[in-house]
């Protein structure tokens, strides 16, 4: 390993530290760790990198990211639309969970878990699902894990978040390919080299969230009714590079998704109502936190600054953030309004023939929500709110 300083010229305003920090590991795989240099003005990044890493090349790559993603972004103080302070001080319980065998690290960004996480996660999902069913008469679906690459291309996800995508491949359906693969294994050839030589076209991905399945389901047809609400629970996948940590930022996680489709006024009202119901649920569960205007991690796109500004100024995205320990918190849910973007991209027509449908969605990260609950209330069920203890504490 080697350590050196990557200069920023010109420096970045200190208010952009968070935006810069969540991009550094995506600059190059050779970066193992980093520290931002400066507070009011960020003048550089001290990085620890693999042996042989070229500082000049890393500086060039960093400059590309800064120029595309950060240079034109304006200073931003998140607008808070809800806040709740509760008794007690949250404390990180991940080490306690692993010591008890309730959380089992299974690889980078992957954690297997048992009780009490298993029942608690199911309980929290059931509470959200019940709210959505009662208030919006949502139709539930269970989607496959894999999603077609063409669907994700159509969604625009590739051009906005290429750093997060995870792809699925297979060997070509050919006897010679299989034989070469087996011979290579026997000869000790690197598996990566064998897969590159014999892999078929990448026609499927691991979905980064569930809503794209819903849009694909309704594609190229008018919406069956004036408005619709769909919900699903499923595995989602995002490559978080070296940002992976405990249950906060998994590569492999579970989302409860709610998708609203219909007239603009309807879907905005539904999103607002779901936020209100969610805040009530958080209060009932004794989970203090805040909900604030946020933006997505758009990456190396010339439109990044404009996309971030639109999300923030138009309040297209809100994040519900719950504390874990000290100043550290985690986004457990986002509430998003897409206007007609996905209606147009997927050819979903409004029932009244007035063009593409408007859409909104909300996604609850179930592992994160359960983890925030345990950091607030502890692993021992005797310290949990009574209704949760009755339901899953045993």
């Amino acid at each position: 390993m080697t350590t050196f300083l990557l200069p920023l010229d010109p420096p970045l305003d200190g208010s952009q530290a968070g935006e810069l920090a969540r991009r550094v590991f995506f600059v190059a795989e050779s970066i193992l760790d980093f520290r931002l240099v400066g507070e009011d003005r960020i003048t550089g990044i001290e990085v620890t990198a693999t042996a042989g890493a070229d500082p000049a090349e890393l500086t060039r790559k960093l400059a590309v990211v800064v120029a595309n993603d950060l240079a034109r972004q304006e200073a931003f103080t998140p607008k808070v639309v809800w806040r709740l302070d509760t008794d007690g001080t949250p404390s990180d319980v991940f080490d306690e969970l692993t010591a008890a065998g309730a959380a089992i690290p299974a690889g980078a960004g992957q954690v297997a878990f048992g009780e009490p996480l298993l029942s608690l996660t199911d309980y929290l999902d059931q509470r959200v699902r019940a709210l959505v069913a009662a208030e919006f008469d949502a139709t539930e679906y269970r989607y496959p894990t894999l999603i077609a690459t063409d669907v994700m291309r159509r969604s625009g996800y590739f051009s906005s978040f290429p750093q997060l995508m995870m792809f699925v491949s297979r060997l070509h359906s050919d006897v010679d390919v299989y034989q070469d693969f087996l011979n290579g294994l026997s000869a000790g050839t690197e598996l990566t080299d064998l897969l590159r030589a014999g892999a078929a076209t990448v026609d499927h991905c691991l979905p980064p969230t569930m809503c794209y399945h819903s849009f694909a389901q309704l594609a190229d047809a008018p919406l069956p009714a004036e408005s619709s609400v769909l919900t699903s629970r499923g595995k989602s996948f995002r490559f978080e590079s070296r940002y992976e940590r405990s249950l906060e930022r998994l590569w492999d996680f579970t989302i409860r998704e709610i998708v609203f489709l219909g007239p603009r006024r309807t879907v905005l009202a539904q999103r607002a109502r779901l936020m209100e119901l969610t805040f009530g649920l958080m209060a009932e569960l004794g989970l203090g936190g805040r909900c604030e205007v946020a933006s997505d991690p758009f990456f190396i796109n010339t439109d990044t600054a404009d996309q971030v500004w639109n999300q923030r100024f138009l309040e297209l995205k809100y994040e519900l953030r719950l504390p874990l320990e000290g100043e550290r918190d985690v986004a457990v849910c986002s509430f998003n309004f897409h206007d007609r973007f996905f209606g147009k991209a997927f050819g979903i027509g409004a029932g009244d023939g007035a063009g593409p449908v408007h859409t909104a969605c909300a996604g609850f990260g179930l592992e994160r929500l359960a983890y925030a609950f345990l950091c607030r209330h502890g692993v021992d069920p005797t310290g949990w709110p009574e209704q949760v203890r009755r339901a899953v504490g045993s």
Side-chain angles (χ1 to χ4, degrees):
M1 295 188 298
T2 182
T3 300
F4 41 75
L5 180 68
L6 306 181
L8 288 178
D9 185 19
L12 280 176
D13 188 273
S15 64
Q16 293 181 298
E19 290 292 323
L20 175 60
R22 66 176 175 170
R23 289 169 167 82
V24 174
F25 282 132
F26 292 113
V27 168
E29 288 193 7
S30 59
I31 297 177
L32 304 176
D33 201 359
F34 69 90
R35 180 181 66 86
L36 303 186
V37 178
E39 295 183 5
D40 294 337
R41 303 289 288 174
I42 305 169
T43 59
I45 304 177
E46 184 181 88
V47 301
T48 300
T50 56
D54 182 353
E57 185 67 5
L58 291 181
T59 299
R60 181 191 66 80
K61 293 180 178 181
L62 176 63
V64 171
V65 173
V66 171
N68 281 282
D69 292 8
L70 301 170
R72 294 191 300 113
Q73 283 196 37
E74 299 181 5
F76 173 70
T77 300
K79 175 184 174 182
V80 176
V81 298
W82 174 83
R83 185 187 299 274
L84 177 66
D85 296 320
T86 57
D87 295 334
T89 302
S91 178
D92 192 326
V93 297
F94 189 70
D95 289 344
E96 187 176 350
L97 290 170
T98 56
I104 304 98
Q110 302 169 76
V111 176
F113 56 87
E115 299 297 358
L117 273 167
L118 192 61
S119 294
L120 178 60
T121 301
D122 287 342
Y123 169 79
L124 294 171
D125 177 53
Q126 290 164 9
R127 292 298 307 273
V128 174
R129 179 176 177 271
L131 284 180
V132 173
E135 184 72 19
F136 306 109
D137 193 26
T139 302
E140 181 155 17
Y141 292 93
R142 184 63 54 85
Y143 295 115
T145 295
L146 300 184
I147 192 166
T149 305
D150 286 344
V151 170
M152 296 309 304
R153 179 191 293 273
R154 191 172 186 179
S155 75
Y157 199 94
F158 291 160
S159 60
S160 294
F161 316 108
Q163 79 279 21
L164 301 180
M165 281 304 306
M166 300 179 74
F167 298 91
V168 176
S169 190
R170 56 180 175 80
L171 294 176
H172 284 286
S173 298
D174 187 286
V175 168
D176 292 339
V177 172
Y178 299 141
Q179 192 64 62
D180 289 344
F181 181 77
L182 294 175
N183 290 340
L185 286 178
S186 299
T189 305
E190 286 289 334
L191 182 59
T192 299
D193 294 335
L194 292 173
L195 292 175
R196 285 174 177 163
T201 301
V202 180
D203 50 10
H204 284 83
C205 308
L206 296 173
T209 188
M210 290 288 98
C211 63
Y212 298 111
H213 283 293
S214 296
F215 296 139
Q217 171 188 344
L218 298 170
D220 302 316
L223 196 64
E226 182 182 14
S227 63
S228 296
V229 181
L230 282 59
T231 187
S232 61
R233 168 181 169 164
K235 279 289 190 176
S236 299
F237 305 82
R238 295 176 195 168
F239 174 66
E240 294 286 0
S241 187
R242 300 182 192 279
Y243 295 106
E244 56 93 8
R245 179 175 182 173
S246 64
L247 296 175
E248 301 165 56
R249 197 166 289 279
L250 296 170
W251 296 6
D252 175 344
F253 57 101
T254 314
I255 285 183
R256 164 60 62 181
E257 188 90 29
I258 303 95
V259 178
F260 303 106
L261 307 100
R264 177 187 177 91
R265 179 178 298 180
T266 300
V267 299
L268 282 172
Q270 289 172 325
R271 181 180 71 154
R273 179 58 177 155
L274 179 58
M275 290 171 65
E276 180 183 359
L277 292 170
T278 300
F279 302 156
L281 177 59
M282 295 302 104
E284 181 185 336
L285 295 172
L287 297 177
R290 71 187 188 281
C291 185
E292 62 188 24
V293 176
S295 61
D296 286 311
F298 300 104
F299 192 66
I300 59 169
N301 191 310
T302 55
D303 295 330
T304 290
D306 294 333
Q307 290 173 304
V308 169
W309 184 88
N310 284 336
Q311 279 194 320
R312 292 170 174 174
F313 181 76
L314 300 176
E315 299 187 12
L316 303 181
K317 182 182 185 70
Y318 298 100
E319 282 185 346
L320 174 63
R321 305 193 68 88
L322 302 182
L324 299 177
E325 185 174 59
E327 296 297 316
R328 198 167 101 244
D329 60 16
V330 65
V332 301
C333 182
S334 66
F335 307 90
N336 311 285
F337 176 59
H338 319 119
D339 204 359
R340 283 179 159 165
F341 181 85
F342 290 121
K344 182 178 180 180
F346 286 92
I348 307 172
D352 57 6
V357 73
H358 294 79
T359 66
C361 74
F364 292 79
L366 298 179
E367 289 88 354
R368 288 185 178 188
L369 182 55
Y371 189 47
F373 179 96
L374 293 175
C375 289
R376 168 67 69 176
H377 296 299
V379 174
D380 185 352
T382 60
W384 296 359
E386 182 180 355
Q387 73 274 24
V388 186
R389 187 171 64 250
R390 287 200 311 267
V392 301
S394 60

